[in-house]
Amino acid sequence: MKEFQYVITDPIGIHARPAGLLVKLAKQYADSKITVWKGDKSTEMRKLMGLMQLGVKQGDALTIKVDGGDEDAVAAAVEEFLKANL
């Protein structure tokens, strides 16, 4: 399992557009389970409504856990996306 944390810098947080792009990215890695944690709430990154229901705002810390095939590459791709978009 690969795990990392990311603090949201986008002033709006995770809203519909970046959430949709995150889901699309996660679906490219069918062999890996990508879980997003905000505090004690979590959801799979492939679930758009789950991401939206986390209510992620600017300054919130997320923990991303990747489990499955090629964890390092998947975690790197997700972290790169977060840094570029959120």
Side-chain angles (χ1 to χ4, degrees), residues 11-80:
I12 302 173
I14 295 183
H15 51 92
R17 184 189 56 80
L21 293 173
L22 266 173
V23 169
K24 186 176 181 179
L25 175 68
K27 287 183 177 180
Q28 293 176 8
Y29 302 104
D31 294 340
S32 296
K33 179 179 179 183
I34 309 167
T35 307
V36 181
W37 288 82
K38 177 189 165 199
D40 60 348
K41 294 185 200 175
S42 70
T43 187
E44 281 193 51
M45 194 176 279
R46 290 185 185 92
K47 297 182 178 182
L48 178 63
M49 293 308 294
L51 282 174
M52 298 297 294
Q53 289 175 344
L54 289 177
V56 179
K57 306 287 183 214
Q58 183 180 27
D60 287 346
L62 300 179
T63 301
I64 292 48
K65 296 180 181 181
V66 181
D67 194 20
D70 207 8
E71 296 168 349
D72 292 331
V74 174
V78 171
E79 189 169 14
E80 182 179 323

